[in-house]
Amino acid sequence: MSLYWRIFLLNAAVLVVAVLLLFGPVTVSTPVLFGEALVLLCGLVAMLVANAVLLRIGLAPLQRLTRAMATADLLRPGRRPRVTGRGEIAELTETFNSMLDRLETERATSSGRVLSALEAERHRIARELHDEVGQTLTAVLLQLKHAADRVPEPVRADLRQAQETTRAGLDEIGRIARRLRPGVLEELGLHSALRSLVAEFTTPRLGVSAHITPGLPALTPATELVLYRVAQEGLTNAARHAGATRVALHLRPRPGGGVVLLVHDDGRGVGAAPEGAGIQGMRERALLIGAELSIAPGAAGGTDVRLTVAPTDTAAHTHTDTGENAR
């Protein structure tokens, strides 16, 4: 029965009962007596209450669907409103769930294309920084050294300072290129890449430690890249925004298969601040391999960034890496 007819028949039943009461024990005289007015008023209140209760029961599934629509988030997949009963509301709920399935699939596919293009652009920029800007600065450094060996002593000190400034700029370009294109990940693997990342973020003000459990399962290159980028973003947030003094990076096998990456800091915590582009990017990368990302306060304070990769994710998304390598 459609929602329209259910509401109509419920209201009709209440009104029919009220009319039968008027033909039965309840009568109205002219002028209306106080007792009769009181009975009619009580009857009206009873009809309104009964109508409100019946409508509340009948429209409860629609309210649940409305809340699900308002809270739907494609970056947090898997949440679906429960389908109850039969009729138009149940059909509407099933249609909404099917729409979410399609949108999540399309979002994951489009995110994969965007992230693949982003990685290709990172590689191009890193290559140009290394090949073009790096070589130019190297040539400038050699020219400064050549000039410093042939000028008087007062000018030589200035040229030596220019050499140091150029050398510092060359080192900074190298660091930027390594962040854009993790060559160590491709050449030495995930373990060495994460330890190199930890060493890069370690400073006198920020202590970063890596705890990588031996015996990790085999991971696809796409999964390793996502793990590296999430770790990189988690360390970046801890260093720039959390006000942390200690950060611990854990990578361990997951019971039943898969792996878990955890980046814990002792900073001020996430609070009620809205998620920025960095966290949104981590969620999109997690969707790319079907992993689950959670960002929550730590048990002892600070923030826990946890990426859980299921065992099926390491094999089911091999085609994603193939597409990235082809690009």
Side-chain angles (χ1 to χ4, degrees):
M1 187 180 297
S2 67
L3 179 63
Y4 168 80
W5 283 107
R6 286 205 301 272
I7 295 176
F8 174 79
L9 291 178
L10 289 174
N11 290 331
V14 173
L15 293 175
V16 168
V17 171
V19 171
L20 292 177
L21 288 176
L22 290 177
F23 281 107
V26 180
T27 57
V28 180
S29 60
T30 304
V32 180
L33 301 179
F34 175 77
E36 295 174 343
L38 184 61
V39 169
L40 290 176
L41 182 61
C42 292
L44 177 61
V45 172
M47 285 190 296
L48 293 176
V49 170
N51 194 32
V53 170
L54 293 174
L55 284 177
R56 173 71 67 178
I57 295 174
L59 297 178
L62 189 58
Q63 293 176 342
R64 289 197 297 268
L65 180 60
T66 302
R67 287 194 298 268
M69 290 179 175
T71 57
D73 188 354
L74 296 181
L75 292 179
R76 295 176 175 83
R79 301 179 181 180
R80 299 290 184 271
R82 183 167 50 92
V83 179
T84 57
R86 293 178 295 178
E88 292 175 336
I89 296 182
E91 183 179 354
L92 181 61
T93 306
E94 292 177 352
T95 303
F96 177 70
N97 290 342
S98 300
M99 181 190 70
L100 281 183
D101 292 337
R102 293 194 303 272
L103 288 177
E104 288 178 359
T105 301
E106 292 172 1
R107 177 62 181 268
T109 303
S110 61
S111 296
R113 296 194 187 101
V114 171
L115 293 176
S116 297
L118 178 61
E119 288 297 329
E121 186 67 12
R122 283 172 177 261
H123 287 191
R124 185 189 66 81
I125 295 175
R127 185 171 56 252
E128 289 186 359
L129 284 175
H130 180 272
D131 296 343
E132 303 295 334
V133 182
Q135 290 183 5
T136 300
L137 287 180
T138 301
V140 171
L141 194 61
L142 294 175
Q143 291 173 358
L144 288 173
K145 182 179 183 305
H146 179 76
D149 294 337
R150 288 167 172 75
V151 297
E153 186 61 34
V155 182
R156 185 177 303 173
D158 294 337
L159 290 178
R160 297 295 185 193
Q161 183 63 38
Q163 278 184 275
E164 294 301 322
T165 303
T166 305
R167 186 176 289 108
L170 188 61
D171 293 339
E172 182 62 26
I173 287 177
R175 282 193 294 269
I176 294 174
R178 286 192 298 272
R179 289 188 182 184
L180 288 173
R181 182 178 183 271
V184 66
L185 178 63
E186 301 174 357
E187 297 166 4
L188 301 179
L190 182 61
H191 290 208
S192 299
L194 291 179
R195 295 190 185 278
S196 175
L197 192 64
V198 166
E200 182 179 343
F201 277 91
T202 301
T203 64
R205 295 184 178 181
L206 180 65
V208 187
S209 58
H211 308 274
I212 302 177
T213 304
L216 294 175
L219 303 173
T220 65
T223 302
E224 289 187 347
L225 181 60
V226 170
L227 287 168
Y228 179 86
R229 290 301 187 194
V230 170
Q232 185 181 44
E233 186 62 35
L235 292 175
T236 301
N237 289 339
R240 293 182 180 177
H241 309 299
T245 58
R246 297 291 304 173
V247 183
L249 186 149
H250 299 265
L251 182 64
R252 56 180 179 265
R254 181 173 177 263
V259 296
V260 175
L261 172 71
L262 173 64
V263 180
H264 170 73
D265 65 69
D266 61 353
R268 63 177 63 95
V270 292
E275 295 185 353
I279 296 180
Q280 296 287 331
M282 285 193 289
R283 294 196 182 280
E284 290 182 352
R285 290 185 183 277
L287 285 178
L288 182 61
I289 60 170
E292 179 182 352
L293 177 74
S294 66
I295 301 174
T303 304
D304 283 351
V305 177
R306 188 186 305 271
L307 181 69
T308 304
V309 182
T312 54
D313 299 332
T314 60
H317 294 80
T318 307
H319 66 278
T320 303
D321 177 69
T322 304
E324 289 183 359
N325 292 336
R327 292 179 180 86

